[in-house]
Amino acid sequence: MTIKSLGNPFSEKSDLRHGAECGCSDCNAGATHAAHHDDRRMSSEEMLDRAVESAIVRSVFGHNDLNRRSFMGMLGGGTMAAALASVFPLDKAKAAILDELGPPEKTDLNIGFVPITCATPIIMAQPLGFYERYGLNAQVIKTAGWAVARDKSLNGEYDASHMLTPMPLAMTLGAGSIAEPYIMPAVENINGQAIVLSNEHLDKRDPTQWKGFTFGVPFEYSMHNFLLRYYVAEFGLDPDVDIQIRVVPPPEMVANLRAGNLDGYLSPDPFNQRAVYEGIGFIHILTKEIWEGHPCCAFAAPLSFATELPNTYGALLKSIIDATQYASNPENRKEISAAIAPTNYLNQPVTVIEQVLTGTYADGLGEVKQVPDRIDFDPFPWHSMGVWILTQMKRWGYIEGDIDYRAVAEQVYLAADAKKVMNDLGYDAPDVTYKSHTIMGKTFDPAEPAAYVDSFAIKKT
């Protein structure tokens, strides 16, 4: 899956009055279509570069695109690009797009969130003033579950949304929904999940005893689903045969555990801690013990949001990354807990949220644990994490056929944008976008994704 390119502003064959998804009669005619659109497919980051080039060229030629095309035909697009670059350095203009932002084209924004602690940066950015800091009047809107969040984003009710890190990959590929190019320029949280079991299973701490259990996860295209599948498979259980996995919206996890509809769940907090608080469940394992530093939730938006409203996109990305970095400081966690506890946000007791965010918590087994990074916040969207997620989608049959793992990850996870904003705000950002990861003691090499999928004995056949 790739994203259709924008018209090349230095080509006489491209009509810049026609968008990348133009539906006019000319663009729908096969022969004419090639004259209006550059055939080359490009990534999300390349599309943003092309949008900058187009804006600069339009500023030179105004609205008369016929003059531009005629000029490019006589002089040659390459010659024109070089001449323009000599007086207006395009590379510097591209590099500065998030640095020298003009006023947001749109200030009133609707941002969806599911009420979980993973959404902390997106939620707290409203009461603590991070959106306002960058000229935005953003309203965060509580959403019952991920299918609703996806659908509201796809139909334009949300400008951007809190999403699970696999969701923009799946939506771009058309897995589970219509195919729509999405971008994920920032992760929100790392770690922060747990496997909870009902107190009825205090004697079944060994996962090999879980045959016949029913588990809840918040969404099919979630780290929760893929981590649960990975975990039980490492103990010899086929997640599609030996256990049942149900999609349950996070706010309904505790009620379903109490009613006996679930034996356990791999869920976002605060619902893991809420089960302990209610005296009906215990924490079997934190997901950081499965994969230290794994991603979970993120800030995502349609690609069109960034290309059509670049100033708004830049301001929003700065708001989210700034809030994420603020949340990463343990000294701020109690303040944040109080800010996101109210009814219109998480609607949870402050003490429950504090146990999650500070990492000092009761485990339901009679102990008080101290795990400061039970949940943490790091905005950098590693391409290697995207590749791992895609390998699990492939492993369990959520995507079929051949897939270019790196191309899709790089198309959706906009690491360059995150790095630029992080550096601009004075935060450190990695100089590379791929690294190896260790999951349950096994090393994942992002350079060999197909071999990694083939290496598993338990997978969808």
Side-chain angles (χ1 to χ4, degrees):
M1 171 69 190
T2 50
I3 298 172
K4 186 179 289 185
S5 69
L6 295 171
N8 181 352
F10 298 109
S11 171
E12 76 275 13
K13 295 182 179 180
S14 296
D15 190 334
L16 299 187
R17 297 170 299 180
H18 299 252
E21 300 294 341
C22 183
C24 74
S25 58
D26 283 344
C27 284
N28 284 330
T32 309
H33 182 279
H36 283 242
H37 295 296
D38 184 351
D39 253 351
R40 190 174 68 83
R41 304 288 178 162
M42 53 176 62
S43 71
S44 304
E45 291 178 9
E46 288 175 316
M47 283 193 79
L48 293 176
D49 283 352
R50 177 59 56 81
V52 177
E53 292 175 346
S54 295
I56 295 169
V57 171
R58 283 171 184 264
S59 71
V60 174
F61 289 94
H63 295 288
N64 193 330
D65 202 57
L66 292 177
N67 283 350
R68 180 197 64 82
R69 292 171 68 184
S70 176
F71 190 85
M72 295 300 177
M74 290 186 296
L75 184 63
T79 302
M80 178 58 187
L84 187 58
S86 69
V87 295
F88 195 105
L90 294 177
D91 288 343
K92 290 184 179 179
K94 294 171 189 176
I97 189 170
L98 292 176
D99 193 28
E100 300 294 335
L101 294 173
E105 300 90 350
K106 179 180 181 181
T107 56
D108 293 342
L109 301 177
N110 291 327
I111 303 173
F113 77 93
V114 175
I116 60 178
T117 50
C118 301
T120 291
I122 281 177
I123 299 170
M124 60 168 268
Q126 184 171 19
L128 297 184
F130 285 89
Y131 296 128
E132 185 179 7
R133 178 181 298 177
Y134 295 99
L136 300 173
N137 176 33
Q139 302 300 313
V140 293
I141 303 171
K142 187 186 291 189
T143 310
W146 297 111
V148 177
R150 177 196 62 199
D151 294 345
K152 285 182 176 290
S153 181
L154 284 170
N155 68 25
E157 290 183 54
Y158 294 161
D159 296 287
S161 186
H162 158 218
M163 287 190 179
L164 301 158
T165 46
M167 287 176 64
L169 296 167
M171 295 163 75
T172 297
L173 291 170
S177 68
I178 62 170
E180 178 74 20
Y182 265 69
I183 55 172
M184 196 193 86
V187 171
E188 287 189 84
N189 73 296
I190 56 175
N191 301 330
Q193 327 302 308
I195 296 178
V196 165
L197 293 180
S198 166
N199 282 342
E200 294 181 4
H201 301 307
L202 284 165
D203 60 340
K204 295 184 176 64
R205 304 291 304 281
D206 183 346
T208 61
Q209 299 173 296
W210 293 356
K211 281 193 176 183
F213 276 24
T214 299
F215 285 90
V217 297
F219 198 56
E220 281 190 300
Y221 299 97
S222 69
M223 285 298 294
H224 312 83
N225 183 27
F226 299 135
L227 287 174
L228 178 63
R229 286 172 171 273
Y230 191 101
Y231 184 73
V232 300
E234 288 297 293
F235 286 93
L237 301 183
D238 186 327
D240 291 314
V241 176
D242 296 319
I243 64 172
Q244 186 178 62
I245 299 177
R246 292 181 183 171
V247 172
V248 178
E252 299 175 20
M253 290 286 188
V254 175
N256 275 277
L257 192 70
R258 181 185 290 110
N261 298 328
L262 298 174
D263 295 289
Y265 51 74
L266 201 161
S267 170
D269 272 306
F271 302 104
N272 304 309
Q273 202 58 47
R274 189 62 189 258
V276 175
Y277 182 81
E278 298 285 345
I280 60 172
F282 64 94
I283 294 176
H284 168 72
I285 191 173
L286 299 178
T287 51
K288 75 179 292 293
E289 299 173 62
I290 299 173
W291 176 1
E292 174 63 61
H294 72 81
C296 183
C297 289
F299 157 60
L303 174 62
S304 58
F305 176 74
T307 56
E308 295 172 10
L309 303 170
N311 292 348
T312 302
Y313 163 70
L316 183 54
L317 182 53
K318 283 190 173 184
S319 302
I320 298 298
I321 287 181
D322 211 2
T324 303
Q325 294 289 2
Y326 188 82
S328 71
N329 186 344
E331 295 179 2
N332 299 327
R333 301 282 175 85
K334 287 195 174 184
E335 175 197 10
I336 293 168
S337 297
I340 65 178
T343 305
N344 56 324
Y345 299 135
L346 295 190
N347 191 28
Q348 296 288 331
V350 174
T351 184
V352 171
I353 301 172
E354 280 190 1
Q355 288 186 69
V356 174
L357 295 188
T358 64
T360 299
Y361 64 95
D363 65 359
L365 296 169
E367 293 188 33
V368 174
K369 302 282 190 178
Q370 291 190 335
V371 185
D373 58 350
R374 170 179 174 169
I375 187 171
D376 212 343
F377 302 92
D378 183 345
F380 192 73
W382 288 90
H383 290 146
S384 49
M385 290 177 171
V387 171
W388 185 87
I389 292 168
L390 290 167
T391 66
Q392 299 309 293
M393 291 171 64
K394 179 68 173 176
R395 177 185 183 183
W396 302 116
Y398 289 94
I399 49 179
E400 299 178 353
D402 295 333
I403 178 172
D404 188 332
Y405 294 93
R406 292 174 67 99
V408 175
E410 292 173 15
Q411 175 178 308
V412 177
Y413 284 20
L414 301 190
D417 284 9
K419 177 178 173 61
K420 179 73 172 73
V421 170
M422 291 172 72
N423 289 339
D424 286 349
L425 295 176
Y427 303 122
D428 292 333
D431 292 324
V432 296
T433 64
Y434 287 90
K435 64 178 178 178
S436 62
H437 303 282
T438 302
I439 301 98
M440 294 184 71
K442 296 182 178 179
T443 300
F444 165 63
D445 180 359
E448 300 290 341
Y452 183 70
V453 173
D454 290 341
S455 71
F456 294 109
I458 300 176
K459 57 180 178 290
K460 200 84 166 181
T461 56

